[in-house]
Amino acid sequence: MTDKQLVQAVKNSNKTAFKMIVERYKDQVAHTVYGMLGVTPEAEDIGQEVFIRFYTNLDKFRNDSSIGTYLTRIAINLSLNQIKKNSKKDQLFEQKLPDSLHDTYNRVDYEQIRQVKQAILKLEPRYRLVVVLRLVQGFSTRETAEILKVPQGTVMSWLSRAQKILRENLSDGDKL
Amino acid sequence: MKQKEEELLLKSFDTELSEDEKKELAAVKSNSPAFLEEEAKYLHLRKMVCLTASESFSPDFTDNVLDRIDNLELQFLKQCYPVQFLFSVFRPFAVAAALLIAVLGYYSWYTIDIDKNEGVSESMQTIMDEADLAYVEELL
């Protein structure tokens, strides 16, 4: 079933169609939420909230944007809210990576990935946004600008700045 | 690196490069070793960043989302449509009660009907008996 057909089916109260949407997009939402927040206790809850907001606001969803873009926009908004809450609490989580990565990569790569993750989470939210959307999710500059509701030039300047900060913050900056 | 080149580098992985930008990119790549060096660094950074995106939600994520939506819908019914809410909550009991009432109703109707029939026949018998008695008395 195409996304449009699924949305129509959900509008007709078809829960199975909604389940298919969740299955289809949960990894994309996970990459956005975890990319923005890191591995925090709230991340999964926010992921669920993304799909609940999508379901409850389905009447407002028009098929002129894709489901992926729409869900990412919700995920970004909820993640930014959470970052604000966390900054009030002054929370900082030491980032852990999934155990499966231990098997896939050697110790050096694993440590390097962990450092990159930590460096991304130290970025200002706007720079983190473009890194997650452009580099992790692979959205184009135009799509990223559309999601963030900023001009394309701004997306590029934020990405350039983010890249420079990442290089400065990483211990092996000369490689990056 | 010039600003224009940096812009091209940032857009080089964009699937939406225009034809002119593609040509410019090709020209810069062939003429600027500095650009190629920067591109390699950018690629490495991108690879590392992509590798960080390995987390996924728990296996029961989808079921949890659906459960929360079911709860929300019940809450919505409770607040906006209390009668429907009560019906949705007590539907199994309501069906059972309706069936019970129907069975009891039928049973009592059936019993009354039998009693009534018996009553009618008894009273008819009495009338007939009385009629016979009156007839006999008349004959006597």
Side-chain angles (χ1 to χ4, degrees):
Chain A
M1 275 178 106
T2 64
D3 282 359
K4 275 187 182 179
Q5 287 170 327
L6 284 176
V7 168
Q8 197 50 51
V10 177
K11 282 181 180 174
N12 293 329
S13 309
N14 183 337
K15 284 273 172 69
T16 314
F18 181 68
K19 191 176 178 180
M20 285 168 77
I21 290 178
V22 177
E23 288 292 329
R24 195 175 283 181
Y25 287 100
K26 66 178 182 183
D27 283 344
Q28 188 176 331
V29 171
H31 292 161
T32 305
V33 175
Y34 282 117
M36 288 301 294
L37 301 176
V39 184
T40 60
E42 303 89 7
E44 176 130 348
D45 201 42
I46 287 173
Q48 290 177 15
E49 190 64 31
V50 170
F51 287 100
I52 290 166
R53 295 269 175 110
F54 173 72
Y55 184 82
T56 51
N57 293 305
L58 203 60
D59 290 340
K60 292 177 194 163
F61 176 72
R62 288 169 295 169
N63 277 321
D64 51 1
S65 67
S66 73
I67 296 180
T69 310
Y70 191 69
L71 287 170
T72 303
R73 197 179 293 150
I74 301 173
I76 291 287
N77 288 338
L78 293 178
S79 300
L80 288 174
N81 288 345
Q82 191 59 42
I83 288 170
K84 271 185 201 166
K85 280 185 201 167
N86 287 352
S87 66
K88 281 178 193 164
K89 291 182 202 164
D90 201 24
Q91 284 183 336
L92 187 66
F93 292 94
E94 183 66 21
Q95 288 307 301
K96 289 177 185 170
L97 293 169
D99 292 338
S100 57
L101 278 183
H102 272 303
D103 308 330
T104 318
Y105 302 100
N106 63 38
R107 179 76 198 151
V108 178
D109 283 345
Y110 182 86
E111 187 53 32
Q112 204 176 19
I113 293 167
R114 199 190 64 79
Q115 282 177 6
V116 173
K117 183 119 190 115
Q118 201 71 43
I120 292 172
L121 289 170
K122 279 181 187 165
L123 289 172
E124 267 182 51
R126 58 185 172 160
Y127 298 143
R128 208 183 306 169
L129 278 173
V130 287
V131 168
V132 169
L133 294 176
R134 284 285 286 115
L135 304 185
V136 177
Q137 299 278 27
F139 283 113
S140 69
T141 308
R142 185 188 59 75
E143 286 169 325
T144 307
E146 192 187 305
I147 291 169
L148 300 180
K149 293 179 180 168
V150 294
Q152 291 189 35
T154 307
V155 172
M156 286 204 287
S157 77
W158 285 358
L159 184 59
S160 169
R161 184 77 193 122
Q163 196 184 348
K164 278 175 191 148
I165 297 171
L166 279 178
R167 282 182 189 175
E168 284 164 15
N169 288 348
L170 289 165
S171 54
D172 57 351
D174 54 324
K175 278 188 200 170
L176 298 168
Chain B
M1 217 171 29
K2 291 173 193 167
Q3 196 188 342
K4 181 67 188 169
E5 286 182 7
E6 195 179 344
E7 234 174 67
L8 274 174
L9 175 66
L10 292 172
K11 285 183 84 177
S12 62
F13 301 99
D14 210 317
T15 50
E16 294 174 347
L17 276 179
S18 67
E19 284 305 311
D20 285 347
E21 283 171 329
K22 280 179 190 169
K23 281 178 193 166
E24 269 182 84
L25 185 65
V28 171
K29 274 188 178 182
S30 58
N31 293 325
S32 169
F35 182 89
L36 290 175
E37 198 181 318
E38 282 297 311
E39 190 188 33
K41 285 181 182 175
Y42 183 73
L43 263 175
H44 182 66
L45 175 69
R46 195 174 191 209
K47 184 184 146 201
M48 296 306 293
V49 170
C50 283
L51 287 174
T52 64
S54 47
E55 293 92 359
S56 53
F57 294 128
S58 62
D60 53 356
F61 177 83
T62 307
D63 292 335
N64 290 338
V65 171
L66 293 173
D67 285 348
R68 281 180 68 178
I69 283 175
D70 284 344
N71 285 337
L72 271 178
E73 285 179 341
L74 271 182
Q75 286 294 321
F76 176 76
L77 271 179
K78 194 178 176 181
Q79 283 168 7
C80 303
Y81 302 98
V83 176
Q84 284 90 331
F85 168 72
L86 286 174
F87 184 71
S88 70
V89 171
F90 296 108
R91 185 161 47 191
F93 304 106
V95 171
L99 278 174
L100 191 65
I101 288 168
V103 169
L104 285 175
Y106 179 74
Y107 178 74
S108 58
W109 171 81
Y110 183 73
T111 316
I112 289 166
D113 203 40
I114 290 169
D115 289 348
K116 207 161 76 179
N117 285 340
E118 281 174 359
V120 167
S121 53
E122 271 175 21
S123 58
M124 282 295 284
Q125 193 62 51
T126 312
I127 291 164
M128 283 169 71
D129 289 349
E130 282 174 2
D132 287 348
L133 196 62
Y135 179 67
V136 171
E137 278 176 2
E138 198 176 297
L139 283 178
L140 290 173

